[in-house]
Each structure stands twice: as C-alpha cells, then as structure tokens.
Amino acid sequence: MNYQVDEKGYYGRFGGAYIPEILHKCVEDLQRSYLRVLESESFREEYRTLLRDYAGRPSPLYFARRLSERYGCRIYLKREDLNHTGAHKINNTIGQILIARRMGKTRIIAETGAGQHGVATATVCALMNMPCVVYMGQTDVERQQANVRKMEMLGATVVPVTSGNMTLKDATNEAIRDWCCHPADTFYIIGSTVGPHPYPDMVARLQSVISEEIRVQLQEKEGRDYPDYLMACVGGGSNAAGTVYHYLDDERVKIVLAEAGGEGLLSGRSAATIQLGREGIIHGARTLVMQTEDGQIEEPYSISAGLDYPGIGPLHANLAQTGRAKVLAVNDDEALRGAFELTRLEGIIPALESAHVLGALPRMEFRPSDVVVLTVSGRGDKDMDTYLACMDRPEIAGNL
Ligand SMILES: Cc1ncc(COP(=O)(O)O)c(C=O)c1O
C-alpha cells in the first residue's frame, strides 16, 4: 500500500487543500515550488549544514539500559530533545525558512502550542534577520511562560489569542487570519504535519531526517537497519512522521503512536482525535476532527500544550484508518508517570508531549529480542512547574 501523499495532496481519503479564495495563489505557488526547492542542490547543502552545525544533528540514538530492563526488550531513545532549542521542531523551521527565502517572502508568521515551534521559528528568524509574529493561545502563554520569554528575547512578537479555549487551534485560526491579510509577502511556517497540501508532506519530508538517521544508527548498533517497533507521540504529527517516514512501507516495522487521552476518552476532557474524531475539515485539510453531532469543532483538552489539538495530520489519519499504525490514547496521569520513570531510570527529563509515548510503554507486550526505537521529541525544561506539582503524588512520582 502507498502511505505517501498522492499528486493531489491526499493520503487515502485525507488531506487536500481547503482554503479561502484569497490564499489560493500563495498555496498554489508553494505547491508548485516546494519539491523543486527541497530537491535543489543549493537547498540541500544549506539545510544539511545548518542541521549539523547549528541544530547539532545527528541527534544521538541512545540505548536506554535501565528502561529496557524494565520493559523486557531493547529500547533505544532517539534524542530530539538534544537539538538546539530543545525539540524536533527546529528541523522543520530551518527548512521552511530556507524555502521562504527562496520564494522571496519577507515576513514570517507561526502558531504555537507548547511554544517549542514558536521558539524554533523565532530562532531561525533571528538567524536569517526576518520579522516574526507568533500566535499563541492565552492558556498556553500562561502554562509555557519560559518559551514566551525566549521568543520575546529572540525578537519575535508573541500575540496572545483569547478566542475559544485559547490553545493551539485558536492560535492556528489567528495565524491563518493574518496570512489572509498578507498573502503576498508573508510565509506561514506551520509547525506540524497539518494544514493544506503541501504542508503535511513538506513538514514530513523536513522531519524525515529523524528516520534517515535511525537507519544508519541502528545498523551501527544492532547490525540491522530497522527496528521491530517505532514509537512516537502525536499532536499534529510531525515528530511521528519524521520517525516513521523511511519505514512506512516496511511491514517488518510496527508503528505505535501515542495521542493525548487527557482525563480519559469518555471524560469529555480529551484530545484523542484519532479515537474520538470523525472525518471533517480543519485548518485546510480533510482529516479526523473532534466535532459535535452538528459538526462544530469540540474544544480539546490535554495537560500537554503541544498535544492539545482537535485535528491530526492527514498522513496519520490514513495510517490509523488503514491499520498501519496502532494508536493509543495515553491519559495525563500515565504520561506524568512515564516522565518520572524516564527521569529516575535514565536521568532524562522529557517534554510533557514526549511523556505520552513513554506512558504507552506499560501497555505494550514486548519480546526480549524486540528492538524498539522511541522518539523523545523534546526536553522538559518548559514543563518543570507541572512536574514539580506532582512531586508529592506518590502514584505519579513514587513507586519507582
Ligand atoms: C516537544 C514536543 N513534542 C511533540 C509535539 C507535538 O507535535 P507533533 O505531533 O507535530 O510532533 C510538540 C508540539 O508542540 C512538542 O513541543
């Protein structure tokens, strides 16, 4: 089966470009240019150099001995948390700003949830000397203060958004509104594998450096270039897309994705789009969407600002619907336990988003010979207040 995008921008039933008239020209320009730019020698050279010398790639593939002992298999962590700015998001923003420059754009906008994409965008704008506006829901501004301060120091304007439940969906709405007002000079750097075609494919390709490196690193460490399992958390889906990209057609490799269950699937406070969503259109793409009976988008909830989104990348909707990926909804408490477990067993404090895939481990049944690669998408610095609030909850921080 083909899991890649087709020439019309669809992954099976999902994807496409459902956009207002005013954006047609700039989205079509991007559709026409992105592959040509991505495949050009000058882009590849500049992108590779910045990934290596600026972002610090390749990120290590670390054999987690104590975590492996706990789960009875061989677990490797793909350490995206060690990238410059602390997450995988920089892989994408470096690529997109290079595309923006080649298309003659002079102003950058972005949305952000956890602030990691906002920081990564503000960072490359400082590097390239381009003005940058980042839209961020007021709820997220409050819970991710450290990242707001970083964006401001980097010279970006952070615009708090107060519509809806003031999180990622609302920030994205506002960024699209801005884009509609400035289609000619502005490039919208989307932070995940969401949005109208070609964004999901463009972001997946830019993040695919993750699986490209996994191949080489596994060959060195295990003598074979594929794992039995690939595991990643999924908000919009970019770190997961990067993790699985070169293995999509390799049926030896099982794909397990962790989405945010919030307080539970039936609690009314969840962001588990793949389990709870129905087909619909959000932010320019046909995908699974959390919506009411009459099609209004439901407010998602997750303890993690980066997974708190009522849609999902069309690539992942298709992987879930075709059965290629198994998707688990991991609740807040399971994620918090996963974060403390990694911290105490391996000395690595993960981002709350990444904590969701760690929280999926107790539900897995591995064989001792299984090789598991789990992507730690980001570091936990921005989440310290949430973690510290759990220190006196033994059911989360204890029993290790
Ligand atoms: C560290 C980290 N991991 C994961 C995510 C989720 O995004 P995606 O599904 O695009 O990887 C975010 C989003 O902000 C993040 O900051």
Side-chain angles (χ1 to χ4, degrees):
M1 201 176 297
N2 179 22
Y3 301 106
Q4 294 287 2
V5 75
D6 68 20
E7 65 288 350
K8 295 210 170 100
Y10 283 85
Y11 300 85
R13 310 165 53 77
F14 304 109
Y18 299 80
I19 45 171
E21 188 70 32
I22 184 105
L23 292 180
H24 272 190
K25 181 169 175 344
C26 61
V27 170
E28 270 171 23
D29 283 349
L30 187 59
Q31 287 172 354
R32 269 197 299 272
S33 321
Y34 83 108
L35 286 178
R36 185 173 43 76
V37 174
L38 288 179
E39 281 158 17
S40 71
E41 203 41 58
S42 91
F43 172 89
R44 285 155 74 110
E45 176 59 26
E46 200 175 355
Y47 182 57
R48 289 283 143 182
T49 304
L50 285 171
L51 286 183
R52 186 188 63 224
D53 298 344
Y54 187 71
R57 300 204 74 89
S59 66
L61 186 71
Y62 164 69
F63 177 64
R65 185 179 56 80
R66 295 186 65 207
L67 196 66
S68 297
E69 277 165 19
R70 167 135 321 177
Y71 290 102
C73 58
R74 300 179 61 72
I75 301 180
Y76 287 88
L77 304 177
K78 183 60 174 158
R79 299 288 311 276
E80 294 300 301
D81 58 313
L82 292 178
N83 294 336
H84 178 43
T85 71
H88 64 297
K89 299 284 183 186
I90 192 87
N91 305 329
N92 172 45
T93 60
I94 291 177
Q96 284 200 49
I97 203 160
L98 295 182
I99 294 172
R101 279 158 58 94
R102 280 161 172 75
M103 292 179 70
K105 304 289 179 175
T106 52
R107 175 176 177 265
I108 298 294
I109 59 170
E111 84 299 330
T112 198
Q116 289 301 129
H117 174 60
V119 169
T121 305
T123 298
V124 295
C125 285
L127 182 68
M128 299 290 169
N129 192 22
M130 287 175 86
C132 176
V133 179
V134 180
Y135 291 92
M136 186 171 193
Q138 179 65 33
T139 308
D140 295 337
V141 167
E142 281 156 26
R143 59 180 165 171
Q144 306 279 229
Q145 262 299 307
N147 277 342
V148 175
R149 287 198 287 264
K150 282 186 197 165
M151 285 184 266
E152 287 173 347
M153 181 164 173
L154 286 158
T157 304
V158 180
V159 181
V161 176
T162 53
S163 53
N165 65 346
M166 301 185 257
T167 61
L168 184 54
K169 151 180 78 64
D170 314 294
T172 310
N173 288 341
E174 219 47 54
I176 292 175
R177 252 175 233 131
D178 177 316
W179 199 21
C180 289
C181 295
H182 309 92
D185 66 339
T186 295
F187 192 95
Y188 179 14
I189 298 192
I190 297 186
S192 192
T193 41
V194 298
H197 175 64
Y199 279 97
D201 185 47
M202 181 169 67
V203 176
R205 284 171 189 260
L206 292 171
Q207 291 290 358
S208 71
V209 63
I210 299 175
S211 54
E212 198 179 303
E213 289 173 5
I214 291 173
R215 266 196 170 158
V216 176
Q217 291 167 322
L218 267 186
Q219 182 65 45
E220 276 166 15
K221 289 173 198 290
E222 286 287 326
R224 60 162 151 129
D225 66 358
Y226 67 96
D228 298 293
Y229 289 88
L230 283 170
M231 298 181 70
C233 70
V234 47
S238 68
N239 86 90
T243 302
V244 305
Y245 194 85
H246 287 96
Y247 295 105
L248 279 171
D249 295 322
D250 188 342
E251 302 284 344
R252 295 171 300 186
V253 181
K254 299 180 210 45
I255 297 173
V256 179
L257 306 177
E259 61 176 355
E263 292 178 0
L265 281 180
L266 302 177
S267 68
R269 278 169 63 76
S270 178
T273 308
I274 294 179
Q275 322 274 335
L276 297 174
R278 282 184 296 117
E279 219 173 296
I281 289 170
I282 186 168
H283 299 139
R286 173 174 289 280
T287 185
L288 296 173
V289 184
M290 286 173 52
Q291 52 187 301
T292 59
E293 289 276 291
D294 50 1
Q296 297 294 333
I297 290 175
E298 281 194 271
E299 298 296 347
Y301 161 80
S302 163
I303 193 171
S304 134
L307 303 186
D308 196 351
Y309 185 65
I312 176 80
L315 163 69
H316 309 68
N318 189 46
L319 293 181
Q321 201 168 69
T322 54
R324 176 68 183 96
K326 176 172 170 178
V327 184
L328 302 173
V330 174
N331 296 351
D332 291 355
D333 282 359
E334 293 174 287
L336 289 167
R337 271 197 291 276
F340 274 88
E341 184 171 82
L342 185 72
T343 303
R344 300 285 168 82
L345 289 179
E346 300 288 347
I348 298 169
I349 303 178
L352 259 174
E353 291 76 21
S354 328
H356 283 71
V357 67
L358 291 152
L361 284 173
R363 302 216 214 140
M364 302 293 296
E365 282 180 16
F366 295 120
R367 287 173 311 180
S369 60
D370 281 339
V371 173
V372 179
V373 173
L374 181 151
T375 295
V376 180
S377 55
R379 63 179 87 132
D381 308 25
K382 66 187 179 55
D383 301 309
M384 288 313 295
D385 291 345
T386 307
Y387 289 149
L388 290 176
C390 297
M391 292 290 282
D392 56 2
R393 291 178 62 192
E395 78 280 14
I396 301 282
N399 303 328
L400 293 169

